[in-house]
Amino acid sequence: MKPITAATHGELSCLNWTTLSDERAAAVQPNKEIRRAALIVTGRCNFACPYCKTLGGDRAPSMDKEAALALLDSLIRQGLKDLRISGGEPTTISWLPELVARAVKAGVAVAVSTNGYARWSVYEALVEAGMTECSLSLDTLDPVEADRLAGGRKDVLSRVTTTIQTLASRGVRVYVGMTCCESSATGAGMKATVAKAADMGVTDVKIMPPVQEGDTLGTEWLTEALAERFPFLAWRARNFKSGCGVRGMKSSDCSKCALVLDDVTVAGGKHYPCNVYFREGGKAIGEVGAGMLEERAAWYETHNSLEDPICSRMCMDLLRTYNNRVWDMQAEPEE
């Protein structure tokens, strides 16, 4: 196996934001297992962030409890190892702790993506149920701007930072997403926000330009200390510096999406190629059911990501890095 370098693959196995790894890339094959799932449990959200992609219409109605538990059991039988629960805002679902506990009991690692605004008792129930990872947004340290970005909610910054600190103190791996609007965010502000995240004990930081403003972002503010503290942040900053954006594919990228073979995004009773494809309004592969593996394998065989307007324009850096790595590994002779 050829070694991974930052120049060729971005040190894939060292990026702890995701469940992607060399081991997973080496094992991927059609009809084997559903290793990871992202469940969009609701399209409802108590925030109205201006940069957020709306789910729209009935693409993500709130899941029924019994249907969600049955789906989880089906995925577990198909080899599920990692589960991410998101929305909308998943903490608006009252039975979420029960879903988490059921997954954890079966040996599945559970992560939840949330805006961090719920009462602490809600998050404490998820921690008690076994949630080990949580992703939250921290876009600014300005209280007024934080309320504005949340669509007019009050006391957002205080509540979100309290959630982050408390989760981290309870041993939960906390990942902070930071959407940086170049029109309003300064380098000093970005640096201060990342430094605050470090002080609160977060595991890593994902900086992101809003899709409405293109795909460039200045990272001159990133110090060596912060880069060493946050490997994913450093990796993405290097990409920006070299002219490689977060979104989109180049002609040299692999045209096949290996993720679809062992990863599934589910919303509204349908399964999609990935979370990005769903949020960009892409068509579902099919209905959730026993034939998902076969349907996803067929999609993999016939789909060309470079010719798909969603994939070619919006595929994320980590996803294309992983797919390129699978491509390379399949081309390598066995030792």
Side-chain angles (χ1 to χ4, degrees), residues 171-204:
V172 176
R173 295 189 301 277
V174 179
Y175 295 88
V176 163
M178 183 177 159
T179 303
C180 307
C181 302
E182 286 281 49
S183 60
S184 60
T186 64
M190 296 179 202
K191 179 180 177 181
T193 303
V194 173
K196 175 66 173 178
D199 290 342
M200 291 189 292
V202 308
T203 301
D204 216 326

Side-chain angles (χ1 to χ4, degrees), residues 37 70 149 167 260 327 329:
L149 288 174
L167 285 171
V260 77
W327 189 21
M329 293 177 78

Side-chain angles (χ1 to χ4, degrees), residues 17 56 64 100 181 212 238 263 306:
W17 182 272
D64 172 81
V100 172
C181 302
Q212 296 90 338
R238 286 197 301 269
D263 202 321
L306 292 171

Side-chain angles (χ1 to χ4, degrees), residues 120-169:
W120 169 247
S121 59
V122 174
Y123 295 108
E124 185 171 35
L126 294 175
V127 174
E128 293 297 326
M131 176 187 71
T132 56
E133 181 178 316
C134 197
S135 298
L136 306 93
S137 292
L138 182 66
D139 299 329
T140 179
L141 296 183
D142 181 337
V144 175
E145 180 70 357
D147 289 352
R148 184 190 73 81
L149 288 174
R153 288 284 178 172
K154 301 299 183 184
D155 201 27
V156 170
L157 181 63
S158 175
R159 290 178 65 164
V160 171
T161 53
T162 296
T163 299
I164 292 172
Q165 280 185 294
T166 310
L167 285 171
S169 72

Side-chain angles (χ1 to χ4, degrees), residues 31-48:
N31 302 320
K32 182 182 178 183
E33 64 182 359
I34 294 293
R35 178 181 179 124
R36 179 188 177 276
L39 298 190
I40 315 297
V41 293
T42 181
R44 185 173 66 243
C45 187
N46 51 3
F47 277 16

Side-chain angles (χ1 to χ4, degrees), residues 35-109:
R35 178 181 179 124
R36 179 188 177 276
L39 298 190
I40 315 297
V41 293
T42 181
R44 185 173 66 243
C45 187
N46 51 3
F47 277 16
C49 303
Y51 55 75
C52 185
K53 287 281 185 177
T54 72
L55 299 178
D58 60 354
R59 282 169 55 81
S62 295
M63 295 184 74
D64 172 81
K65 173 184 171 182
E66 296 307 319
L69 293 174
L71 171 61
L72 174 63
D73 290 343
S74 174
L75 292 171
I76 289 170
R77 289 193 295 271
Q78 295 181 71
L80 186 69
K81 298 177 178 63
D82 297 283
L83 175 67
R84 176 166 294 278
I85 302 170
S86 65
E89 176 49 46
T91 60
T92 61
I93 300 297
S94 62
W95 44 263
L96 192 62
E98 185 176 344
L99 182 68
V100 172
R102 189 144 168 170
V104 171
K105 185 177 181 179
V108 176

